[in-house]
Amino acid sequence: MATERTLSIVKPDAVEKHRIGAIVKMIEDAGLVVKAMRMVHLSRPVAEGFYAVHKARPFFGELVEFMTRGPVVVMALEGDNAIQKYRDLMGATDPAKAAENTIRKAHGANVGENAVHGSDAAETAKNEIAYFFPGHEVF
Ligand code: CMP
């Protein structure tokens, strides 16, 4: 299996609920390795840029409002098949539909406030990691 990297964001709802540690533990217990980590309060332009692909969606305004509400923790994760592995660990976008033992089932509230983000494909992962971390900050 190929070693991959993916971007994880612990979203403002999970940071507010003091779930950073619990989420990082689930990530590490799943065999994913934290290669970069930073806490940041996203500005509106940074959040809009990150979610530009969703600009036309009806929930875009709500999404940006939420993601700028408080600080987030951004991480670059590495491991075998990391992109799909982390998506499986996150669970469905809607926490009500997420499987047992997933981050969103344990820590998400609803489809907007769903605790975590993860890259959806190799190209996205590369771009999303570069959006937050210069190469020398990924260890
Ligand atoms: P994320 O993986 O961060 O990528 C886009 C986000 O949009 C997604 O997680 C959800 O949190 C959010 N999202 C998707 N659908 C809705 C919706 N119907 N209302 C609000 N937010 C949504």
Side-chain angles (χ1 to χ4, degrees):
M1 239 183 288
T3 299
E4 294 175 338
R5 286 179 175 173
T6 191
L7 185 88
S8 162
I9 304 179
V10 180
K11 296 185 179 184
D13 58 324
V15 174
E16 285 161 10
K17 291 190 267 188
H18 308 156
R19 307 288 176 84
I20 298 169
I23 290 170
V24 172
K25 177 162 171 51
M26 289 177 81
I27 287 169
E28 292 189 327
D29 286 351
L32 292 162
V33 179
V34 178
K35 304 294 277 188
M37 178 185 257
R38 188 154 57 88
M39 192 174 212
V40 58
H41 193 153
L42 303 182
S43 67
R44 181 167 287 273
V46 168
E48 286 174 350
F50 183 76
Y51 282 119
V53 65
H54 296 301
K55 206 170 175 100
R57 302 280 192 100
F59 58 81
F60 183 71
E62 194 184 321
L63 175 61
V64 170
E65 199 63 38
F66 165 58
M67 289 300 290
T68 56
R69 176 168 98 190
V72 301
V73 174
V74 288
M75 287 178 269
L77 308 178
E78 188 177 274
D80 283 342
N81 201 25
I83 297 165
Q84 190 57 48
K85 184 181 264 191
Y86 185 54
R87 291 185 71 75
D88 291 346
L89 179 63
M90 288 195 299
T93 306
D94 181 354
K97 296 180 185 149
E100 292 299 327
N101 302 316
T102 62
I103 295 173
R104 285 169 169 161
K105 174 78 175 181
H107 302 293
N110 55 59
V111 75
E113 303 200 7
N114 61 359
V116 282
H117 166 82
S119 309
D120 64 1
E123 188 66 17
T124 331
K126 188 165 168 272
N127 293 335
E128 289 185 353
I129 291 170
Y131 195 77
F132 287 108
F133 299 105
H136 70 276
E137 287 185 10
V138 184
F139 296 96

